[in-house]
Amino acid sequence: MAGFNANYMNAKDGISLIISEHRKIDQLVETILNIKHFRDEKQKFFNEFVKDLSQHSELELQLLYPLIRDRIPDGPTLADRSVHEHQEVEKRLNKLTKYDVEDVSFNDKLHLLWRDIKEHVKEEEDELLPKLRVALTPDEQRQLFEDWQSRKKFVPTRPHPHLPKGAAITNAAVKAVDSVFDKTRIFPKL
C-alpha cells in the first residue's frame, strides 16, 4: 500500500503529527470496511488499526491532555471529558478485538465505534488543537513531536481498559507483553 497516509512522514510538529495519525487511522478503518472477501488482509489491517489507535490514545493521555489541561482556557474540563471518551473507546475496542473479522456484526460494530471516534477527532481538530497551537511556542510544538515519537516505542499496542493509564512502569510492562503477542499477529506492509 504505497502512499498510505503520505502526510504522516511530513509532520514536523506535535499537533501536525497528531492530525496525520488521525488520518492514517481513518484510512485503516476505511480499508477494513471495504475488504469483503479476504479474511487475512482484513485481519492485518484490523491489527494495524488496533495497534495504531491504542498507541495514539495512550500518547494523547500522556502528552496531549496534560498540555490542554495546563495551557488552554477551560483546559481541565476539556481534558477530563476527552479522557473519559478515551476510556469508553478503549473498552469498546477491547470488546471488538474479541470478534472474528468475518463475524456478521464485526463491520457494524467497527462502524459504530469509528463514528464515535470521528466525533471525538472532530472536536479535537476543530476546538482543542487550534487552541493548543496558539498556546504553544514553535519550540514547544517541536518538543511535543519529539516526545510523541520517542514514547511511541514504549506504549501498549493493544487496549487494556482495566489498567491504570500513564504510569511509565505500567506502560513498560504492558508493552513488553503486547510485543510478545504482536509477534503472533499479522500486519500489513504499509
Side-chain angles (χ1 to χ4, degrees), residues 18-45:
I18 291 167
I19 293 169
S20 69
E21 285 192 4
H22 289 162
R23 296 301 167 273
K24 181 182 180 204
I25 294 167
D26 187 54
Q27 290 174 353
L28 287 167
V29 172
E30 290 300 319
T31 301
I32 295 162
L33 291 173
N34 286 316
I35 295 174
K36 303 293 184 214
H37 304 290
F38 302 99
R39 185 193 183 287
D40 288 348
E41 280 301 298
K42 190 170 194 164
Q43 187 66 56
K44 286 179 189 179
F45 282 96

Side-chain angles (χ1 to χ4, degrees), residues 31-86:
T31 301
I32 295 162
L33 291 173
N34 286 316
I35 295 174
K36 303 293 184 214
H37 304 290
F38 302 99
R39 185 193 183 287
D40 288 348
E41 280 301 298
K42 190 170 194 164
Q43 187 66 56
K44 286 179 189 179
F45 282 96
F46 182 64
N47 291 344
E48 185 74 18
F49 165 72
V50 170
K51 177 181 72 96
D52 286 1
L53 182 60
S54 296
Q55 289 181 311
H56 182 86
S57 180
E58 181 63 29
L59 289 166
E60 284 191 346
L61 292 170
Q62 288 184 23
L63 298 170
L64 179 63
Y65 297 133
L67 286 171
I68 288 170
R69 183 178 307 286
D70 294 342
R71 301 295 290 277
I72 66 173
D74 296 325
T77 301
L78 296 169
D80 288 347
R81 184 173 68 224
S82 292
V83 167
H84 175 74
E85 290 169 0
H86 274 251

Side-chain angles (χ1 to χ4, degrees), residues 3 15 30 36 48 58 82-83 128 137 142 148 162 166 181-182 185 188:
I15 293 170
E30 290 300 319
K36 303 293 184 214
E48 185 74 18
E58 181 63 29
S82 292
V83 167
L128 302 179
T137 68
R142 280 189 293 281
W148 192 280
H162 305 295
F181 285 109
D182 285 346
R185 294 184 202 8

Side-chain angles (χ1 to χ4, degrees), residues 4 12 24 45 48-49 67 93 116 121 145:
F4 201 83
K12 300 292 185 223
K24 181 182 180 204
F45 282 96
E48 185 74 18
F49 165 72
L67 286 171
L93 180 62
D116 293 344
V121 166
F145 176 89

Side-chain angles (χ1 to χ4, degrees), residues 127-169:
E127 183 180 348
L128 302 179
L129 295 177
K131 289 178 182 178
L132 191 59
R133 190 179 293 278
V134 170
L136 298 178
T137 68
D139 285 344
E140 289 171 321
Q141 291 180 41
R142 280 189 293 281
Q143 187 62 51
L144 176 59
F145 176 89
E146 291 171 15
D147 292 346
W148 192 280
Q149 293 289 71
S150 66
R151 287 194 193 186
K152 193 168 203 163
K153 336 175 227 251
F154 301 106
V155 295
T157 58
R158 308 282 297 162
H160 299 280
H162 305 295
L163 294 177
K165 300 296 167 214
I169 189 69

